[in-house]
Amino acid sequence: MKKVIVIGGGAAGMMAAYQAAIGGNTVTLLEQNEKLGKKLFITGKGRCNLTNAGEMEELFANVMSNRKFLYSAFYGFDNEQVIAFFEEQGLPTKVERGNRVFPQSDHSSDVIAAMKRALDKAGVLIRLHTKVAGLLTEDGHITGVQLADGTRLSAEAVIVATGGLSYPSTGSTGDGLRMAEASGHRLVECTPSLVPFETKEAWVKELQGLSLRNVSVSIFNGKKKLYEDFGEMLFTHFGVSGPLILSASGSIKPKLFVESLSLFIDLKPALDEEQLDQRILRDFDGMKNKQFRNSLSHLLPAKMIPVVVELSGIHSDKKVNEISKEERKNLVHLLKHLPLTIKGLRGWNEAIITKGGVCVKDINPSTMESKLVQGLYFCGEVLDLDALTGGYNLQIAWSSGFLAGSNI
């Protein structure tokens, strides 16, 4: 039996503490906030997309950084086991579109409550309002932690599960990264990920709040295509957001965002240009004497029509029967390639996750133990691990926390 300290009461930390405790260890969980799972509470728009029910190949495919490192973690505690764990804690789950798994209640608070019940049953001592200032080591071994008030707590094993830098209001302020660096671990530069884009074009403000479903988005660096996918997106006062955009931010290498990237929206991906031209011709045929600005109601959301009319170069008052073939072709091209220029990413306050963190080359992938400091473990978002939206990041947290707690 060992004396174990877990720093951080998020998803990874709670799972690690639970596993360490049921393994027969004396476990203290230190959380600087007033409650556990503060970031977990806001995930999935407050519903908590706790994992993804897809095949293992799909889970790995949606991991963007160091997926091979997660082999032992994912197979040691896979998505089916995560679902079974929460069901055993009295939390019924359901599977929605894209194999996303949610609590049946649609309340993230129920996920946190289930974890709290498990921790209490396992005998984990939970200390809230307790901030850790640093790690204590001696001759390459962990000996405990020092709290912000100067108190020293001894331990034979310490698990760092402090999260990254995303949503700093939840307590993710980089403390674990500083602790890792101070104890000799390498850090991979951190950047916001799964985050909206800021765009140069002023007209996006006119579309603020408009959500587009079943559109296709492609992003280019010059002529090189960096990303393409189909789904849902949202216009904001600063640019674009929504599932398609967040996934794009996680898929594209951060260093590429120093350049101005081109983003194109295909508003009618189900139709090729010829088919769309025929569709527009049919619409125009029934509105021959209408002005152009009043002819697109069957094709576009009302909020979008003034913007498209302006960008098309066709005078808004022009009669439909006066629009030339070339003007119509240009309109078709615009609807298939609505252009935007990405000028950067939004900041940490809007980032769902952190790309970068503690370098996994310094961590044993079979145990999550540091290769540099014996008895020191890392799990969750503090590590250089990130995935796309859909429950994959929480699967990383549960799996890596499980592995760390199980190997003490």
Side-chain angles (χ1 to χ4, degrees):
M1 180 166 48
K2 290 183 179 178
K3 198 173 180 182
V4 180
I5 289 174
V6 180
I7 310 171
M14 287 191 286
M15 185 59 75
Y18 173 78
Q19 281 303 122
I22 64 170
N25 300 294
T26 303
V27 182
T28 302
L29 176 58
L30 307 178
E31 170 53 56
Q32 65 179 341
N33 288 317
E34 74 286 358
K35 59 185 177 184
L36 297 174
K38 203 164 182 180
K39 185 177 177 185
L40 201 57
F41 185 74
I42 61 173
T43 59
K45 297 178 181 175
R47 297 174 60 219
C48 192
N49 179 191
L50 55 91
T51 186
N52 191 285
E55 298 294 326
M56 288 302 291
E57 292 79 9
E58 191 179 332
L59 262 66
F60 281 110
N62 280 275
V63 175
M64 293 293 104
S65 303
N66 301 307
R67 61 182 63 143
K68 287 182 181 177
F69 177 85
L70 284 165
Y71 190 89
S72 294
F74 273 9
Y75 280 103
F77 192 54
D78 64 22
N79 49 359
E80 291 182 4
Q81 290 168 291
V82 168
I83 295 166
F85 170 82
F86 282 105
E87 297 271 356
E88 286 164 12
Q89 307 309 320
L91 184 80
T93 62
K94 59 181 177 179
V95 180
E96 295 188 0
R97 182 174 54 86
N99 285 319
R100 295 168 187 242
V101 180
F102 293 90
Q104 273 188 16
S105 66
D106 282 331
H107 295 307
S108 55
S109 55
D110 291 339
V111 177
I112 300 165
M115 280 299 325
K116 178 69 165 56
R117 286 195 298 272
L119 292 168
D120 290 343
K121 192 175 177 181
V124 174
L125 174 63
I126 299 167
R127 290 183 56 174
L128 303 174
H129 302 287
T130 307
K131 186 175 176 64
V132 177
L135 304 172
L136 301 175
T137 61
E138 192 175 306
D139 300 325
H141 288 70
I142 196 78
T143 59
V145 302
Q146 181 164 324
L147 303 183
D149 64 5
T151 305
R152 291 185 166 215
L153 303 178
S154 64
E156 295 156 272
V158 172
I159 301 173
V160 178
T162 51
L165 292 165
S166 58
Y167 291 132
S169 61
T170 64
S172 300
T173 51
D175 292 345
L177 299 170
R178 289 187 284 275
M179 292 177 209
E181 192 170 34
S183 54
H185 298 81
R186 291 169 288 179
L187 298 184
V188 175
E189 183 183 1
C190 293
T191 55
S193 193
L194 302 185
V195 64
F197 294 153
E198 292 185 356
T199 57
K200 287 184 178 178
E201 289 74 11
W203 55 260
V204 295
K205 292 180 182 178
E206 298 173 43
L207 301 181
Q208 180 180 349
L210 176 64
S211 178
L212 298 178
R213 293 187 177 183
N214 304 320
V215 296
S216 178
V217 163
S218 52
I219 297 172
F220 288 81
N221 183 9
K223 292 183 179 180
K224 185 179 180 183
K225 186 186 287 184
L226 303 177
Y227 175 85
E228 184 174 25
D229 207 352
F230 172 87
E232 186 176 346
M233 63 168 288
L234 172 74
F235 288 99
T236 69
H237 66 284
F238 56 77
V240 286
S241 187
L244 265 180
I245 304 302
L246 299 183
S247 291
S249 79
S251 303
I252 297 171
K253 291 180 180 177
K255 64 181 181 182
L256 293 173
F257 286 103
V258 297
E259 306 290 338
S260 288
L261 302 182
S262 300
L263 183 152
F264 297 96
I265 306 168
D266 184 347
L267 297 168
K268 299 294 174 184
L271 304 174
D272 62 27
E273 293 205 6
E274 188 178 336
Q275 290 170 326
L276 181 55
D277 188 37
Q278 291 300 314
R279 160 76 192 274
I280 291 171
L281 269 174
R282 286 197 300 273
D283 286 354
F284 281 3
D285 196 47
M287 307 180 186
K288 288 179 180 177
N289 294 312
K290 283 195 173 184
Q291 293 169 316
F292 176 52
R293 66 170 181 263
N294 297 322
S295 68
L296 301 174
S297 57
H298 297 314
L299 202 63
L300 297 169
K303 204 170 189 176
M304 194 159 218
I305 292 172
V307 170
V308 169
V309 168
E310 178 70 26
L311 294 174
S312 73
I314 303 171
H315 197 283
S316 63
D317 291 335
K318 194 168 191 175
K319 293 281 181 67
V320 166
N321 59 11
E322 295 172 355
I323 293 173
S324 69
K325 182 178 180 181
E326 186 179 353
E327 286 176 322
R328 199 180 69 245
K329 292 285 187 185
N330 289 338
L331 173 62
V332 168
H333 184 78
L334 176 66
L335 296 175
K336 295 290 287 181
H337 306 87
L338 188 67
L340 282 166
T341 309
I342 301 168
K343 66 178 184 181
L345 299 169
R346 295 293 278 180
W348 290 112
N349 288 335
E350 295 173 60
I352 294 176
I353 57 152
T354 305
K355 189 180 280 289
V358 177
C359 180
V360 296
K361 290 178 181 176
D362 292 342
I363 310 299
N364 183 336
S366 299
T367 62
M368 296 292 146
E369 186 175 14
S370 165
K371 294 178 180 177
L372 309 179
V373 180
Q374 195 172 334
L376 176 62
Y377 298 76
F378 293 88
C379 59
E381 197 181 338
V382 73
L383 290 166
D384 180 22
L385 301 167
D386 64 275
L388 300 182
T389 57
Y392 305 107
N393 286 291
L394 269 179
Q395 181 63 45
I396 291 174
W398 306 128
S399 293
S400 61
F402 179 94
L403 199 58
S406 301
N407 280 283
I408 292 173

